[in-house]
Each structure stands twice: as C-alpha cells, then as structure tokens.
Amino acid sequence: MDKKTLFGNIQQKSSFLCVGLDTDLAKIPSHLLKEQDPIFAFNREIIDKTADFAVAYKPNIAFYEALGPKGWESLQKTLDYIPKDIFTIADAKRGDIGNTSKLYAKAFFEQMDFDSITVAPYMGQDSVSPFLEFEDKWVILLALTSNGGSSDFQVLETEGGKPLFQQVLEKSQRWGSDDNLMYVVGATNGAKIAEVRKYAPDHFFLVPGVGAQGGSLEEVAKYGMNSNCGLLVNSSRGIIYASDGADFGDAARAEASKLQQEMARLLEKYG
Amino acid sequence: MDKKTLFGNIQQKSSFLCVGLDTDLAKIPSHLLKEQDPIFAFNREIIDKTADFAVAYKPNIAFYEALGPKGWESLQKTLDYIPKDIFTIADAKRGDIGNTSKLYAKAFFEQMDFDSITVAPYMGQDSVSPFLEFEDKWVILLALTSNGGSSDFQVLETEGGKPLFQQVLEKSQRWGSDDNLMYVVGATNGAKIAEVRKYAPDHFFLVPGVGAQGGSLEEVAKYGMNSNCGLLVNSSRGIIYASDGADFGDAARAEASKLQQEMARLLEKYG
C-alpha cells in the first residue's frame, strides 16, 4: 500500500486506529476453544466487528510463533481475511545481516503478503535496507519504544549530544523515505512525541501506547500529527479483550468505535 | 545445557566449532529436491557428517521462516535430530516488550527445545529478561556484530566515552550471569576482540566471523579465549556448501574436520 492510499483511508474512515491482534489461547473466550482453529475464529470475529473503524491491523507475531506451525497457519488465514484496503503490520521486530534480513523480508512480504514489518535498528543499515527494496512495502523501525527497557539504551546520550533514538531517526532517513519508512514511537508524553516529530516531520509513527500500555490520545494527536495525519495509534488488549464472553465481538466493536470517534474529533482539531 | 557441560564437550571434542544451518533450497544439491522434506534431508546429512567435530549447531531461523509452516516443521525435525549433547542455538535475533519476549522464549525453549536464542538489545532489560528465566537456557545477546551496519550505532560513543556495545555488555551483565548469558561478537580483528573480552571476561562469545564473513581464527583464539574456552566460533556456508554435488556431506565433514584440527591446536596453545 502506498502512502496516498493509506492517508485516503484515514480520511475516509476518520480514523487512525490500528487494532493489535495479540491473540492468546489463554485469553480468548472459552467457547472458541472447540473450534478447529480457535485463533483464526477469534481474529475473524474481531476483524468483522472492527473493520469499519480500523485503518490497520497488527498481528503480534510472537503470539503465533509460540504455537508452532499451526500458529503460522492461523496467521496466514488471518492475513488473508483482512480486507485488502486495510494496512497490515507484521509486528515481528526482525533484523539481521543483509542476506538474512532479505529472507525475513521474503517471509513477510512474499510468502505472506503483509504491507509492513517492524524492524530493530541495532545492526544498522544493511540489516534494514533489504526490507526497503519491496515496492509499496514498509519498514516500521524501532525508534523510541514505550517499555521500561527503552531507558537502557535508546535515550543514552551519544555523539553530538544526541540520544540514540535520534541517531536512529536521522541515519535511517538516508536509507528510506517517508514513502517506505515509519517509526515506532512509544506514547509516553506530549513533549517527547513533539521532540521525536521534530527529527522526523514527514514520517508516519506507529504509536503503541494507547490502552493497556497507557498514554493519552489527545497528547499524541496534538504533538504528533502532521499534514498526512502521520499517526497510526495501536490498541490491542483494550479492544480485543474488552469482553471474555460470547459478546466479545460486539464489545470489541464498541471499544473500537469509541476510539474512532475520539480520533475523528482529533483529526478535525489537529489534522 | 549448563556451562560446565558445554565446556566439558569442548574439552572432549577439542573443538569450539558451531555449524550454522543456513539451509537454502536454492543452494542445496539438486538431487535432494525430490525428497519429501529437502531441507531436513540436507540438515540430517550435514549433522551426521559433522557431529564428531561440532559442539553447537545454529539454525538461522530466517531460512526456515521464509518457507512458511513447512519451514517450521523442517526446523523442528532438524532440532529433534541433533544429538542431545550438542548445544543448539536459535539464531533468531528476537526481542520485544516483556509479555511478547516471554512468548518468543516459550516458542524457542518450550514449543521447540533450543538451548539458546540470539536476542537484540535495543529494547532493553524487560525485552531480554524473560528469556533468562528458563533453567539451563541461554540468551546470546548482540553486542558487536560483524556486518557493515555494525558501525551505524554499535560503536557510537555514549555517556562516559563508552561505545554503545560496551554499554550493552556492562548493563546486561546485571540482568544475567555467565551461566545464562553469552554475547555475539563479530570477529573483525584481534584488538577488537581483546577490547570486548576486557568488558566481559567470563562470558562465552558466539563469533560469527569465520569463513564466508572473513576473520582469523588464530586472532580470535589468541585474544578471545578464557579459562572456559569462552568461544563458540561459527561457520555456515564454508561447511554446509563446501560442495553442491552428491558428496556434499563428505565435503562438509572435511571442512569441519579441518576447522576442528585447527581449534584443537589453538585450545592447546591458548586454552
């Protein structure tokens, strides 16, 4: 998917909501466990009920990988089921030497047909570039994450007084453009989002911080939005586990709708 | 596998050789393609012919993931086939927020039964610690890699005049011990290995630089060996693709044997 199409979808749905498919056998409603593929049955219902409000779906690959070959089949079925006009993110945090990253790219962009993949920057340019060579596919590079451990290395001051995440933002902009490169930016507070936005004014940010991980949507929009919206805000557990009963689909729909309405307001106000 | 057993195997075989199973359908001998599972057929022959000389096997997970669910089955069969006294490394470069890293750990340590996994440090402590909670399992953390992109971030000077990889080495030693934490250290030259060894005197290093990626085994041993050997030196393509004919197994054995003899000499000299 190209940037223009993505932004068109955001405008059409008045939403920049990404629904995270962190689908866990231990958390899905128990009546689904008798299904032949409970993970896919759950995801199908979530997709049916939230597709009106979501511009992106983000399966967290670990949840599928933990189930072995069957998990990969559930993932493939889920990906095939997502409507083609909705952006898909393989949240995989991959990254390795060039020939190996190329294989990961093939796995997620050819074997499967994801629009994008999250990539870790530690190994540098040749670990990221192979993902950028696929047309209309995107790298979403870790810049500043929302977890506690983000303070261990990402904010260390480096040469020129720049925190490491700024080095990642600046250097990586030479490897790709805002047409094939986004960043993971954890929503902790407005000042931080504003700082990151300064270093990457035109790129989309994938913001994982709303919902179970905390963070304020208003702050994110106020300080992070740009002229193409420039934001995909993810919510996983807050939507998909809104109910653990037979009504989980409707409960997810209600939560997604609530977030979309708030996003429509914010697009009006800051977009 | 615990450290004492690993060192015992190194002494018994006079070898610190790790054989990398970067098994690629496009590179294996063509007569294997008629097999029901060509990847496993190839790996089985490589393992049969090199197990006398190897103390570790390291499947590069990307090569299996690129084949979809079938690839994961080939990987599982390969892992099950490796003799139990040989250390196994899932070269996966994983790492995510805590609950997600925990699932990756379950995938590789429980769903499969690898002894260790390579992990990327960018997301910090809570992305690494979940892997350290499994008994007799190991994290092999990226410190200084051997690819060109290692110069983008890993050697940036940070607070206290320390390069980033030194921060990784120092901080991570508070999360685990030399009984469950190793480091990936690219073999570029002796002085660099000596520098890294200074910051982590007791830990095992996984050194990916011998063979197709260059690097001198003598330098690595001279500057990197410690009282428990402290080295696993990997060779992938130089061994497994030594021949692309029907004799690939014997050719791999000859290459592995050559490296093992050199390692025996180096263990004598520096061990």
Side-chain angles (χ1 to χ4, degrees), chain B residues 16-20 54-58 89 206 232-235 239:
Chain B
F16 44 99
L17 176 62
C18 174
V19 174
V55 295
Y57 286 104
K58 178 175 76 63
I89 301 168
L206 172 63
L232 295 172
V233 170
N234 183 74
S235 175
I239 291 177

Side-chain angles (χ1 to χ4, degrees), chain A residues 44-53 57 249-250 252-254 256:
Chain A
R44 187 178 51 198
E45 173 81 359
I46 293 288
I47 293 163
D48 283 344
K49 294 295 172 79
T50 60
D52 293 343
F53 308 120
Y57 285 104
D250 291 328
R253 183 174 177 82

Side-chain angles (χ1 to χ4, degrees), chain B residues 37-66:
Chain B
D37 185 340
I39 298 289
F40 175 60
F42 179 85
N43 288 349
R44 185 179 51 199
E45 172 81 0
I46 293 288
I47 293 162
D48 282 344
K49 292 298 172 77
T50 60
D52 290 345
F53 308 120
V55 295
Y57 286 104
K58 178 175 76 63
N60 182 329
I61 303 305
F63 287 73
Y64 303 85
E65 195 164 293

Side-chain angles (χ1 to χ4, degrees), chain A residues 2 21 55 76 79 91-92 105 109 115 124 145 150 154 158 162 183 192 226 230 250 266 271:
Chain A
D2 65 14
L21 298 172
V55 295
Q76 181 68 59
L79 184 62
D91 196 1
F109 292 159
D115 292 308
T145 60
S150 66
Q154 297 169 24
T158 67
K162 299 172 181 178
Y183 296 104
K192 210 69 187 172
N226 66 19
D250 291 328
L266 295 168

Side-chain angles (χ1 to χ4, degrees), chain A residues 69-92:
Chain A
K70 268 177 49 187
W72 289 94
E73 283 164 18
S74 303
L75 177 63
Q76 181 68 59
K77 279 192 270 181
T78 299
L79 184 62
D80 294 344
Y81 192 77
I82 295 171
K84 286 293 156 263
D85 62 333
I86 300 186
F87 191 74
T88 52
I89 301 167
D91 196 1

Side-chain angles (χ1 to χ4, degrees), chain A:
Chain A
M1 187 180 295
D2 65 14
K3 189 174 178 178
K4 199 179 147 196
T5 307
L6 177 59
F7 183 47
N9 293 344
I10 289 170
Q11 291 178 298
Q12 191 242 315
K13 288 185 173 172
S14 294
S15 169
F16 45 98
L17 176 63
C18 175
V19 175
L21 298 172
D22 298 15
T23 309
D24 185 343
L25 278 177
K27 284 194 186 149
I28 65 178
S30 53
H31 74 278
L32 291 175
L33 298 178
K34 64 179 194 301
E35 297 274 336
Q36 192 256 326
D37 184 341
I39 297 288
F40 175 59
F42 179 85
N43 287 349
R44 187 178 51 198
E45 173 81 359
I46 293 288
I47 293 163
D48 283 344
K49 294 295 172 79
T50 60
D52 293 343
F53 308 120
V55 295
Y57 285 104
K58 180 175 75 63
N60 184 331
I61 303 305
F63 286 74
Y64 303 85
E65 196 164 293
L67 302 172
K70 268 177 49 187
W72 289 94
E73 283 164 18
S74 303
L75 177 63
Q76 181 68 59
K77 279 192 270 181
T78 299
L79 184 62
D80 294 344
Y81 192 77
I82 295 171
K84 286 293 156 263
D85 62 333
I86 300 186
F87 191 74
T88 52
I89 301 167
D91 196 1
K93 313 280 198 310
R94 298 297 192 262
D96 206 315
I97 60 170
N99 77 323
T100 302
S101 273
K102 195 170 167 181
L103 283 166
Y104 281 126
K106 282 187 176 183
F108 287 99
F109 292 159
E110 288 184 355
Q111 168 80 22
M112 293 175 276
D113 188 24
F114 278 99
D115 292 308
S116 66
I117 181 171
T118 56
V119 174
Y122 191 72
M123 292 182 71
Q125 176 169 13
D126 57 295
S127 71
V128 177
S129 292
F131 294 99
L132 293 168
E133 285 164 15
F134 290 74
E135 204 182 331
D136 291 339
K137 303 291 189 184
W138 297 73
V139 163
I140 308 181
L141 195 65
L142 302 185
L144 184 63
T145 60
S146 57
N147 62 317
S150 66
S151 65
D152 285 320
F153 306 118
Q154 297 169 24
V155 299
L156 279 180
E157 192 177 308
T158 67
E159 294 159 21
K162 299 172 181 178
L164 178 60
F165 74 84
Q166 184 183 348
Q167 297 274 6
V168 169
L169 290 162
E170 290 181 355
K171 287 204 179 179
S172 61
Q173 286 181 52
R174 297 178 217 143
W175 311 339
S177 72
D178 57 300
D179 286 318
N180 64 359
L181 184 59
M182 305 185 180
Y183 296 104
V184 173
V185 179
T188 43
N189 67 62
K192 210 69 187 172
I193 294 256
E195 185 189 350
V196 182
R197 183 48 90 195
K198 203 171 63 190
Y199 307 135
D202 300 322
H203 291 67
F204 263 87
F205 293 169
L206 172 64
V207 182
V210 168
Q213 290 179 54
S216 150
L217 194 53
E218 176 96 27
E219 295 259 298
V220 170
K222 184 171 177 186
Y223 296 103
M225 215 174 262
N226 66 19
S227 62
N228 290 298
C229 178
L231 295 172
L232 294 172
V233 170
N234 184 74
S235 176
S236 301
R237 287 162 277 179
I239 291 178
I240 70 175
Y241 301 130
S243 161
D244 61 359
D247 66 338
F248 74 98
D250 291 328
R253 183 174 177 82
E255 288 303 315
S257 170
K258 230 187 285 175
L259 276 170
Q260 180 271 323
Q261 286 171 46
E262 177 67 1
M263 287 175 175
R265 185 183 72 77
L266 295 168
L267 277 165
E268 190 76 24
K269 188 169 171 189
Y270 301 111

Side-chain angles (χ1 to χ4, degrees), chain B residues 3 14 30 33 35 111 117 153 162 176 191 194 214 230 246:
Chain B
K3 190 175 178 177
S14 295
S30 53
L33 299 178
E35 297 275 336
Q111 169 78 21
I117 181 172
F153 306 119
K162 299 173 181 177

